[in-house]
Amino acid sequence: MKLFRIKICGITTAKDAALASSLGADAIGINFFKGSRRHVPVSEAAPIVAAVRGKAIPVGVFVNELPEAIEEICRLLHIEVIQLSGHEPPAVASRLKFLRIKVVHVRDGSELFLHRNYPCDAFLLDTSVPGEFGGTGKPFDWGKISGMKPGKPWILAGGLNAGNVGEAIRIARPDGVDVASGVESTPGEKDSNMVKSFIKNAKEAFVNVKK
């Protein structure tokens, strides 16, 4: 897949979607997991997708959802990229005819090896927090994955913000980065200055780091 560099996740309004894309985000994440503080009902998601159409990639974020439900939601909203953030077995992912990002929750750095044959187009590495599926704002030790080459594009997440994203990119050398809580004033509400600074610092770091 043509991987995005910078994704602003947990977008809950068309206003924030437009903000992120106008400031240079390559993708936004819309969370359809009802257990998330950033959950967006399907009935309210169309304006969010419309706000970035042709400007940034809308990514549908799902957690342990039925494949039939994922297909229905994505076709309704014309979403072509999905993020599987739960414990979805390979058989479920194989059924989904979208570009698939599989989230791997990292504790000691060995987790990606266990997913090496997972049917996806890219990986997203996030911090492992018991009972949580992302958006915790907690980083993990980037040194544990430094130099990692999983054979597919991969995205770094977990506790990133404008202050540490440059160092994270320098150490871990991911293909892309993902942020939610690190650019928020409150859960689900993005702060324009934080988004702007994050995108600026991430772009500068990607220019300076050669994989």
Side-chain angles (χ1 to χ4, degrees), residues 58-136:
V59 179
V61 178
F62 298 92
V63 174
N64 301 328
E65 186 59 87
L66 293 173
E68 296 84 0
I70 294 174
E71 290 172 352
E72 181 179 357
I73 291 169
C74 290
R75 286 174 180 158
L76 175 67
L77 298 170
H78 303 289
I79 290 175
E80 299 178 353
V81 183
I82 61 173
Q83 178 176 310
L84 302 175
S85 297
H87 306 298
E88 300 85 2
V92 167
S94 295
R95 291 180 54 183
L96 297 166
K97 306 306 179 184
F98 304 95
L99 290 174
R100 297 155 295 181
I101 300 168
K102 176 57 184 166
V103 174
V104 178
H105 296 98
V106 177
R107 290 184 299 274
D108 60 19
S110 67
E111 293 80 9
L112 192 61
F113 178 77
L114 301 175
H115 290 80
R116 64 192 183 280
N117 295 320
Y118 195 90
C120 62
D121 301 282
F123 291 109
L124 186 149
L125 273 60
D126 199 356
T127 307
S128 178
V129 177
E132 299 288 343
F133 295 99
T136 64

